[in-house]
Amino acid sequence: MDSQKSRDMTMAQPAPPPHGVPFGEAVRVWTRVAALSFGGPAGQIAVMHRIIVEEKRWIGEARFLHALNYCMLLPGPEAQQLAIYIGWLMHRTRGGLVAGALFVLPGAVAIMVLSWIYAIFGHVGAVQALFFGLKAAVLAIVLEAVMRVGRRALRNDMMVGFAAAAFVAMFFFHIAFPLIILGAALVGFLGGRAGLAPFLAGGGHNKAGSGHPVSDADSLLGEEIPAHARPDIRWALTVGATLALLWLAPVLSLLVLLGPANVFATIAVFFSKMAVVTFGGAYAVLAYVAQQAVDTYGWLKPGEMLDGLGMAETTPGPLIMVTQFVGFMGAFRAPGGLNPLVAGTLGGLLTTWVTFTPCFLWIFLGAPYIEALRGNKALSAALATITAAVVGVILNLAVWFALHVLFRTLHRTHALGMTLDVPVFASVNLPSLALTAIAMVALFRLKIGILPVLALCSGLGLLYGLASGTL
């Protein structure tokens, strides 16, 4: 009788995970990670490593870096995908869903609030002065990102050449970002498979932490692959079909009901495509998003893209959350029969949905097979080459932003198959140049953190607005 009761209780309650971490504790830990996830992908990954590996010891160093390398190969924000991956390893599907959703929730709420403020008060002198200072800081931050990623990725002349080629292809010839990334991946894969030294030595990731690394054997999860993390075709088909439906059903519904010319349908299609091709992190794809949002769709003005990036830099969560601001402003300016703020809110939420839902799909489908990638030299070389190309793409973003921040007038010219925005040097914006120089000194020389630099430049922007009489 007691034996039957014990069996009934076992069936009624899920078995505790072998690592001993209750799901409720995991929710609290992922909430803490999300709240501290400032500073772009590098800062977010560092926070995750400090809490998950060093403090909680859920997983070891090798497993953490292995998962990170896989996420770097995927389109979308690698930090959020890493959270999904670890959450799934620890607590199955619900663990991945909670970790990934909590990672973006604080940023989504903050960007939405800031978008409302921007839409309502964006032309008020104080707001304009605030964002004037933010633009200069963001430009310095993007330049610092070029240096930081470059130091890690460009370890030989071959990788420097890939970065230069990517910059020339995108800045001068406007070759599509996905083609650049796919080309770099293919060349890197073939070079690694052939055993060429420059590809095998060029890139990868430094250890995320310092001191003595936590070994997989000493972590709570251990070295073994959890039973739920082994490949299961039935589970993969079920979860894949469910997530694909959640992602694509709204897109197809908007296309059918509203037509492809409607702003909501356009937003859904454009950012769904971005979710598939956004390799290399937020900085790499923002140049393409900015150019499309400004030049092709007219959703934003060049300066407004910098305003949105400033919002994303000052709030927790993935930097790619700036796309929510883009979607908000796009729908706000073409509301149809809706109230502009309602339309903007729906546009922002739609953008966030189609941007981040695919991340769960990539992880849940691919993670069970990821152990087969461990130690694969060809794939490691492909990752290194992609990272090198991304340096050139980020440099393209930095130059594009610099032209629009530092000069009031640009002249578009066409020559030898190239299209260039040439600055009119007489239109240089001296106050913006001075603020950018201050931000660069603070970041590069004084090693001040991103948030203090943003606060400093915002305050100086307000002071400039007050002194110039624009407030």
Side-chain angles (χ1 to χ4, degrees):
M1 186 72 172
D2 291 340
S3 177
Q4 179 63 38
K5 182 183 292 185
S6 177
R7 283 196 297 271
D8 292 342
M9 290 179 64
T10 300
M11 293 176 64
Q13 299 177 355
H19 48 68
V21 179
F23 183 67
E25 180 184 343
V27 173
R28 291 190 292 273
V29 169
W30 288 118
T31 302
R32 179 183 166 203
V33 168
L36 297 175
S37 293
F38 291 90
Q44 293 155 5
I45 291 168
V47 166
M48 213 179 309
H49 182 275
R50 177 168 56 82
I51 294 176
I52 301 298
V53 177
E54 296 178 355
E55 180 183 324
K56 298 297 182 181
R57 304 175 76 90
W58 284 0
I59 63 174
E61 182 85 15
R63 194 188 289 269
F64 181 90
L65 292 177
H66 185 64
L68 174 59
N69 282 337
Y70 172 60
C71 294
M72 280 294 296
L73 287 170
L74 298 173
E78 64 268 26
Q80 189 221 8
Q81 290 166 342
L82 182 60
I84 298 170
Y85 190 108
I86 298 173
W88 166 78
L89 269 179
M90 296 295 293
H91 292 96
R92 309 189 179 203
T93 307
R94 66 172 181 167
L97 291 172
V98 167
L102 284 176
F103 197 83
V104 301
L105 184 60
V109 173
I111 293 292
M112 184 61 70
V113 172
L114 290 173
S115 297
W116 270 66
I117 294 172
Y118 189 89
I120 297 172
F121 302 109
H123 297 291
V124 175
V127 176
Q128 289 182 319
L130 176 70
F131 281 100
F132 173 79
L134 278 177
K135 290 174 190 177
V138 168
L139 175 56
I141 289 167
V142 174
L143 290 171
E144 193 270 339
V146 175
M147 300 295 293
R148 171 168 40 81
V149 178
R151 282 193 297 266
R152 184 186 69 192
L154 308 182
R155 298 187 177 182
N156 56 58
D157 292 342
M158 179 72 76
M159 295 301 154
V160 173
F162 275 110
F167 172 77
V168 170
M170 199 162 194
F171 185 78
F172 291 99
F173 295 98
H174 300 278
I175 294 177
F177 170 74
L179 293 179
I180 294 173
I181 294 301
L182 290 175
L186 178 60
V187 174
F189 181 84
L190 294 176
R193 191 165 186 176
L196 300 179
F199 293 94
L200 300 180
H205 297 277
N206 298 325
K207 287 185 177 182
S210 59
H212 299 290
V214 177
S215 69
D216 289 344
D218 292 335
S219 68
L220 294 180
L221 191 63
E223 293 182 302
E224 298 299 320
I225 301 175
H228 72 273
R230 296 187 173 91
D232 183 330
I233 297 297
R234 182 177 178 182
W235 178 83
L237 291 175
T238 301
V239 75
T242 302
L243 287 169
L245 182 65
L246 289 172
W247 170 27
L248 296 175
V251 179
L252 296 175
S253 299
L254 289 169
L255 282 171
V256 171
L257 296 175
L258 302 179
N262 181 270
V263 66
F264 292 106
T266 304
I267 287 172
V269 172
F270 176 71
F271 287 107
S272 289
K273 289 191 294 185
M274 287 300 94
V276 177
V277 301
T278 50
F279 296 91
Y283 281 120
V285 74
L286 282 180
Y288 180 70
V289 172
Q291 289 167 349
Q292 292 294 307
V294 174
D295 298 332
T296 302
Y297 298 108
W299 293 335
L300 299 177
K301 300 173 184 176
E304 291 179 335
M305 186 66 189
L306 284 171
D307 293 340
L309 190 56
M311 294 179 192
E313 289 279 10
T314 54
T315 53
L319 197 60
I320 199 67
M321 188 61 73
V322 66
T323 57
Q324 178 176 283
F325 171 74
V326 177
F328 181 100
M329 295 305 298
F332 176 81
R333 286 176 171 149
L338 297 175
N339 177 280
L341 288 173
V342 172
T345 301
L346 294 175
L349 292 176
L350 174 63
T351 301
T352 298
W353 181 262
V354 299
T355 297
F356 292 100
T357 301
C359 296
F360 296 91
L361 180 63
W362 313 144
I363 295 298
F364 289 153
L365 284 183
Y369 301 92
I370 190 56
E371 292 301 323
L373 299 177
R374 190 185 298 271
N376 188 301
K377 292 183 178 179
L379 287 172
S380 296
L383 174 63
T385 312
I386 287 174
T387 307
V390 162
V391 176
V393 176
I394 299 174
L395 180 59
N396 170 71
L397 171 69
V399 173
W400 189 86
F401 278 174
L403 290 174
H404 289 91
V405 170
L406 303 180
F407 298 92
R408 295 185 175 91
T409 306
L410 301 175
H411 177 64
R412 177 156 293 186
T413 61
H414 304 274
L416 302 175
M418 299 182 293
T419 301
L420 297 177
D421 288 328
V422 180
V424 177
F425 289 97
S427 70
V428 64
N429 189 329
L430 292 177
S432 185
L433 180 62
L435 276 180
T436 302
I438 292 171
M440 292 181 67
V441 170
L443 280 172
F444 288 88
R445 192 75 166 172
L446 303 179
K447 307 298 182 184
I448 297 175
I450 288 178
L451 288 179
V453 170
L454 288 165
L456 171 65
C457 289
S458 299
L460 291 176
L462 288 172
L463 289 176
Y464 170 72
L466 185 64
S468 63
T470 58
L471 292 187

